[in-house]
Amino acid sequence: MVKPVKIPWYGDSEYAKRIINEMNQTSFKDTDLKAKLFTKTVGKGLLECEEYYIVITRGDDHE
């Protein structure tokens, strides 16, 4: 099993979804690579926000 690559994303989540879709349809087409967007809520109260990551997996690592 290959360890997934986790890339922090500091922009808009909708833009990240478009980028990921483009990556999966062009760069990763005909390969066993797949990109996904993961969201994690961090902080508490007024300091609560979301962190985004683009995660690239390979082969059997897909969910």
Side-chain angles (χ1 to χ4, degrees), residues 16-50:
K17 290 175 188 176
R18 289 194 307 266
I19 294 294
I20 289 168
N21 189 37
E22 183 178 318
M23 289 167 56
N24 287 330
Q25 290 180 358
T26 58
S27 301
F28 299 156
K29 185 178 181 180
D30 300 326
T31 71
D32 61 348
L33 298 175
K34 174 123 175 124
K36 292 183 178 183
L37 180 68
F38 282 86
T39 304
K40 177 181 174 183
T41 302
V42 295
K44 290 185 178 184
L46 296 174
L47 299 176
E48 186 174 290
C49 64
E50 291 184 331

